C-alpha cells in the first residue's frame, strides 16, 4: 500500500508567483470515513481513491477508472462536489500544488506538498500562511461534507 505524507497550508493569493496553467478537478466523495472519492481531471481522466485515517500521513490507494464510470460515481455522492483548479509549482525540489476552490468553497486557496518521509523539513514559500495539516476541517472530505470552516 502507498503511504501519502502531505502538508497543507492556507495561501495568500496576493503573494503567489505567476502560475502555470492549471488542471480542472471535480472531486466527489462517496464516503468520508474512510475517505473514498472519485476525481475527474480536465474532463478526461477519472481516478478512484481511498484514503485511510490520519492527517499528515495515511494510506492512499488510487487507480484510474473508465471516465464514464467516474462520471456516474460523481452523481452518487451524497456530499457537496468539490470543484477546483490546481496549479503545480516546482520549488526547491518539491512540487507545491496550489488549489483555487470554486462554487460553495469559492475564495478558499490552499497549497499542499507531498514529502518522501515524515522527517523531511521543507522550506515554506512566502505565499503560504497558516499550516492546516492537523486541522480536520480543512481535509477535502470534510470540506465536501461540512463546507468552509468558520473563521
Amino acid at each position: 500500500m502507498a503511504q501519502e505524507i502531505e502538508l497543507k497550508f492556507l495561501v495568500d493569493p496576493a503573494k503567489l508567483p505567476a502560475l502555470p496553467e492549471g488542471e480542472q478537478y471535480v472531486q466527489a466523495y462517496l464516503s468520508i470515513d474512510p475517505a473514498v472519492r472519485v476525481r475527474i481531471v480536465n474532463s478526461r481522466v477519472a481516478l478512484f481513491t481511498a484514503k485511510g485515517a490520519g492527517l499528515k500521513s495515511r494510506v492512499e490507494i488510487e487507480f484510474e477508472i473508465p471516465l464514464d464510470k467516474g462520471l456516474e460515481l460523481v452523481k452518487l455522492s451524497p456530499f457537496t462536489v468539490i470543484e477546483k483548479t490546481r496549479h503545480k509549482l516546482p520549488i526547491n525540489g518539491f512540487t507545491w500544488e496550489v488549489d483555487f476552490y470554486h462554487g460553495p468553497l469559492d475564495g478558499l486557496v490552499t497549497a499542499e506538498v507531498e514529502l518522501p518521509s515524515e522527517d523531511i523539513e521543507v522550506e515554506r514559500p512566502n505565499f503560504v500562511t497558516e499550516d492546516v495539516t492537523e486541522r480536520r476541517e480543512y481535509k477535502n472530505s470534510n470540506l465536501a461534507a461540512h463546507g468552509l470552516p468558520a473563521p
Side-chain angles (χ1 to χ4, degrees), residues 18-29:
L19 296 173
E21 186 174 341
E23 294 181 310
Q24 302 305 311
Y25 284 19
V26 173
Q27 201 163 284
Y29 285 84

Side-chain angles (χ1 to χ4, degrees), residues 1 4 17 20 37 47 53-54 73-74 112 126 137-138 150-151:
M1 283 191 224
E4 174 189 59
R37 74 163 187 235
L47 301 168
L73 287 169
V74 167
E112 299 175 351
N126 72 334
E137 65 267 31
Y138 282 99

Side-chain angles (χ1 to χ4, degrees), residues 15-70:
K15 294 183 178 178
L16 282 167
L19 296 173
E21 186 174 341
E23 294 181 310
Q24 302 305 311
Y25 284 19
V26 173
Q27 201 163 284
Y29 285 84
L30 304 174
S31 168
I32 299 302
D33 189 18
V36 177
R37 74 163 187 235
V38 63
R39 177 184 277 169
I40 310 297
V41 182
N42 291 333
S43 301
R44 292 192 316 262
V45 175
L47 301 168
F48 188 86
T49 307
K51 294 187 178 193
L55 296 171
K56 180 179 180 180
S57 178
R58 57 192 172 162
V59 171
E60 178 183 62
I61 301 165
E62 182 173 75
F63 52 91
E64 190 170 337
I65 60 174
L67 181 59
D68 62 330
K69 301 296 184 203

Side-chain angles (χ1 to χ4, degrees), residues 60-109:
E60 178 183 62
I61 301 165
E62 182 173 75
F63 52 91
E64 190 170 337
I65 60 174
L67 181 59
D68 62 330
K69 301 296 184 203
L71 292 169
E72 288 298 317
L73 287 169
V74 167
K75 295 175 188 174
L76 295 178
S77 175
F79 307 104
T80 298
V81 174
I82 292 177
E83 296 180 37
K84 61 187 179 181
T85 303
R86 173 167 285 176
H87 303 270
K88 296 181 181 181
L89 289 172
I91 301 173
N92 296 330
F94 293 95
T95 299
W96 286 80
E97 297 173 338
V98 178
D99 292 338
F100 288 80
Y101 291 78
H102 309 294
L105 301 174
D106 193 46
L108 178 62
V109 183

